[in-house]
Amino acid sequence: MNKITLGRTNIEVSELCFGALPIGPLQKNVPIEEGADIIAHALESGITFVDTAQMYKTYEMIEGAMKKTGKRPIISTKSTAATYEDMEKAIKEALEKLDIDYIDIFLLHAARVGADVFEVRAGAWECLKDYKAKGIIKAIGGSFHSVLAVNAAAQNEECDIVFPLVNKSGMGVMHGSCEDMEKAVELCFKKNKGVFFMKLFAGGVYLNDYKAAVEYGKNLSKGRASYAVGMITKQEVDMNLKYFTGESVDDEINALKSYSKSFFVADFLCKSCGFCLEQCAADAIYQGDKHAIIESDKCVRCGYCVGECPEFAIRMV
């Protein structure tokens, strides 16, 4: 598999990154031991890069995979913390639950924030800088859906890594178009930022157009970025590895054409509290007469709303 050096960081990763969001409780809710086995399979098969987050609640799976294999991947995590104190707690939680003494990449988890992201999250950003100075974090940056935030990160001298939302139609991109995001990503490359992409498949929407979705990312990357792809079975790991190492996956792609993933609100459980509306970075949820409603044509299938619902009213099918 191709290896990518992330910008100026000298951190080398596999071109294919194991995206840990779908395997966790926000989406498929795979049992911890089973999830650890799947991630272990990915590590044994040549994937050296894992993306997770505090809110994904997958640290135990990754820790289990490392114990099973004896392999230590490059780990990128992130937190929605805004203050110094909350970010410090998030860093300590990651170190403890992953059972590691340093974190390769730690990001501001700021899907909805725009150009002022480093001001709005000033306390958290200061904390990340301090922990990088201590050597406990190797590289810092941000995870963004906003074109404005990606541009701000490109211009921020202290930002090492940018994790932008990228897909062939720009589904889920905020504060600009697909073309605007492409220009912002190119600026990140020009500024020698480490870049890896999220949502190439728009959370599963483009799985039935697998090759076009991946090739869009490759054309934008030109060998400069890694791709975080969510995987929830060993078969998915194998398929993605085959494609990224140049093997045919035509049979697997045909099988994917019947696959779909969507979220809905169980109306009998919804209390119309509005928490899911605030969390949705794609503006895909609105308040109906009696309960929240998810617009499937806008939803990027991230599942963040699931974790925000106190009534467990949002379900994946």
Side-chain angles (χ1 to χ4, degrees), residues 105-116:
I105 300 167
F106 211 116
L107 308 175
L108 297 175
H109 200 172
R112 293 183 65 93
V113 190
D116 58 352

Side-chain angles (χ1 to χ4, degrees), residues 158-225:
E158 296 163 316
C159 179
D160 304 309
I161 303 288
V162 184
F163 187 28
L165 184 153
V166 167
N167 59 63
K168 65 189 182 75
S169 70
M171 187 175 182
V173 169
M174 297 179 65
H175 308 136
S177 65
C178 183
E179 292 75 19
D180 293 332
M181 183 61 89
E182 290 171 0
K183 291 175 183 176
V185 167
E186 193 59 41
L187 181 60
C188 289
F189 288 132
K190 182 179 179 181
K191 295 289 186 178
N192 204 21
K193 306 298 183 184
V195 177
F196 65 113
F197 297 154
M198 74 169 96
K199 297 291 186 291
L200 276 183
F201 302 109
V205 174
Y206 297 133
L207 278 176
N208 59 2
D209 200 10
Y210 180 94
K211 287 183 179 179
V214 176
E215 291 309 309
Y216 171 81
K218 285 181 173 285
N219 289 334
L220 182 58
S221 166
K222 298 180 175 65
R224 299 169 292 180

Side-chain angles (χ1 to χ4, degrees), residues 57 59-60 62-64 92-100:
K57 301 187 186 304
Y59 289 156
E60 289 88 349
I62 299 166
E63 188 266 345
K92 290 179 178 178
E93 177 186 344
L95 292 168
E96 178 183 347
K97 291 187 175 180
L98 289 163
D99 193 22
I100 53 179

Side-chain angles (χ1 to χ4, degrees), residues 2-22:
N2 292 336
K3 296 294 176 64
I4 306 294
T5 298
L6 295 174
R8 66 193 184 198
T9 67
N10 293 321
I11 297 174
E12 186 180 71
V13 299
S14 53
E15 187 178 28
L16 177 61
C17 169
F18 187 100
L21 167 61

Side-chain angles (χ1 to χ4, degrees), residues 120-258:
V120 171
R121 302 284 177 87
W125 186 239
E126 195 65 30
C127 182
L128 291 180
K129 291 190 293 181
D130 284 352
Y131 273 79
K132 181 184 174 185
K134 296 174 185 177
I136 296 173
I137 296 173
K138 303 303 180 184
I140 60 175
S143 170
F144 308 121
H145 291 196
S146 166
V147 171
L148 300 180
V150 173
N151 277 320
Q155 300 291 357
N156 187 313
E157 290 298 324
E158 296 163 316
C159 179
D160 304 309
I161 303 288
V162 184
F163 187 28
L165 184 153
V166 167
N167 59 63
K168 65 189 182 75
S169 70
M171 187 175 182
V173 169
M174 297 179 65
H175 308 136
S177 65
C178 183
E179 292 75 19
D180 293 332
M181 183 61 89
E182 290 171 0
K183 291 175 183 176
V185 167
E186 193 59 41
L187 181 60
C188 289
F189 288 132
K190 182 179 179 181
K191 295 289 186 178
N192 204 21
K193 306 298 183 184
V195 177
F196 65 113
F197 297 154
M198 74 169 96
K199 297 291 186 291
L200 276 183
F201 302 109
V205 174
Y206 297 133
L207 278 176
N208 59 2
D209 200 10
Y210 180 94
K211 287 183 179 179
V214 176
E215 291 309 309
Y216 171 81
K218 285 181 173 285
N219 289 334
L220 182 58
S221 166
K222 298 180 175 65
R224 299 169 292 180
S226 181
Y227 312 86
V229 176
M231 293 173 261
I232 57 174
T233 66
K234 292 179 182 180
Q235 291 75 20
E236 288 182 0
V237 172
D238 291 340
M239 173 190 164
N240 286 300
L241 280 165
K242 284 176 69 176
Y243 191 83
F244 276 83
T245 53
E247 296 183 49
S248 172
V249 292
D250 288 344
D251 290 342
E252 291 90 339
I253 288 173
N254 285 333
L256 281 176
K257 289 181 179 178
S258 63

Side-chain angles (χ1 to χ4, degrees), residues 287-309:
Q287 185 59 49
D289 292 339
K290 297 181 179 179
H291 59 86
I293 297 172
I294 299 174
E295 296 183 83
S296 60
D297 59 335
K298 292 183 179 180
C299 176
V300 295
R301 280 70 169 173
C302 65
Y304 293 176
C305 56
V306 177
E308 286 299 306
C309 180

